[in-house]
Amino acid sequence: MAMERLTFSPFVLNVYGYCGQSAMNEIAVDNVEKVFSVRSYRFDNAFRLQTCLAVAKAVAHVHTGELVDTMAISTGRNQTKIKPAALVHYDLNPRNVAIMADGTPKLNDFNVAEFLRWDNYTKTPCGFTGRFWEPWWRAPEEMATSDKEKAEKYQLIYDPNSTALTEKVDVYSRKPILLLLQPSHLIFCVL
């Protein structure tokens, strides 16, 4: 359902049909993690920068549900009000950015996406509760919980003031992708 909603975006993998948990998507040849591995020096910096920009635009499209002029927003030229986020990818990582045959990156794998509900009383998004605590791509606020039993079970940080998660977790999770695209930088080490 998330991918169907995002068919307008040139930076999200197209879905041609779906039924339950199965989907028929356009064919991708690889993903960012494999294509831009540490050993891969065949891409120039301009191509890497274009890929970074495409990933940023894809995340903006996911959050707003519409085409967004990201350049106008970042420079302050566009004073129109941006809608609050309605969808969070929640699993943004280098493996979930597909590379098409022409080299175009497209966001993929929305199986754990969260649709954000809206609180009409406070006029703010409700947020959602974190479900995944593997630290590889996670934002710091995902590693805290106000549930003491859950903190002990999953070795999380117990914080009685922990709040619901928002689209900001996707913004943080973009960082490993952007760092991977930097030439000759080793980002993660095996523990």
Side-chain angles (χ1 to χ4, degrees):
M1 194 158 92
M3 290 179 82
E4 181 183 36
R5 178 183 172 158
L6 293 164
T7 55
F8 70 89
S9 176
F11 305 108
V12 174
L13 201 69
N14 287 321
V15 61
Y16 299 120
Y18 63 91
C19 180
Q21 293 294 322
S22 299
M24 186 168 52
N25 301 320
E26 69 181 305
I27 297 174
V29 294
D30 231 324
N31 64 48
V32 164
E33 184 177 59
K34 289 180 183 175
V35 172
F36 292 100
S37 67
V38 175
R39 294 174 299 279
S40 176
Y41 297 102
R42 62 182 176 208
F43 300 104
D44 64 357
N45 290 340
F47 184 76
R48 290 173 184 267
L49 188 59
Q50 288 172 344
T51 304
C52 287
L53 183 59
V55 169
K57 286 182 178 182
V59 172
H61 293 173
V62 167
H63 290 173
T64 62
E66 60 187 28
L67 286 171
V68 177
D69 183 356
T70 51
M71 188 58 78
I73 292 167
S74 65
T75 59
R77 289 183 305 196
N78 186 354
Q79 297 302 320
T80 59
K81 185 177 180 185
I82 297 174
K83 294 186 331 185
L87 180 65
V88 178
H89 188 278
Y90 195 48
D91 193 18
L92 201 56
N93 66 68
R95 293 180 191 141
N96 290 338
V97 179
I99 301 293
M100 310 313 289
D102 66 355
T104 306
K106 292 191 176 190
L107 203 51
N108 186 24
D109 192 3
F110 288 82
N111 62 340
V112 295
E114 290 280 347
F115 286 94
L116 294 179
R117 294 173 297 151
W118 184 257
D119 185 337
N120 283 326
Y121 180 74
T122 63
K123 306 290 187 217
T124 59
C126 295
F128 63 97
T129 304
R131 317 188 298 272
F132 304 107
W133 296 285
E134 298 85 9
W136 299 283
W137 326 111
R138 301 290 170 216
E141 59 266 30
E142 291 182 80
M143 302 312 290
T145 180
S146 58
D147 183 338
K148 200 169 200 171
E149 288 180 29
K150 193 183 286 184
E152 290 174 7
K153 182 178 178 180
Y154 295 104
Q155 299 179 343
L156 301 172
I157 300 165
Y158 171 68
D159 179 4
N161 300 320
S162 181
T163 59
L165 301 174
T166 66
E167 75 280 359
K168 294 174 185 170
V169 297
D170 279 352
V171 174
Y172 184 90
S173 295
R174 248 186 12 204
K175 188 173 184 178
I177 298 168
L178 301 180
L179 289 174
L180 185 64
L181 291 169
Q182 290 183 358
S184 70
H185 284 68
L186 180 60
I187 310 309
F188 301 104
C189 61
V190 178
L191 300 176

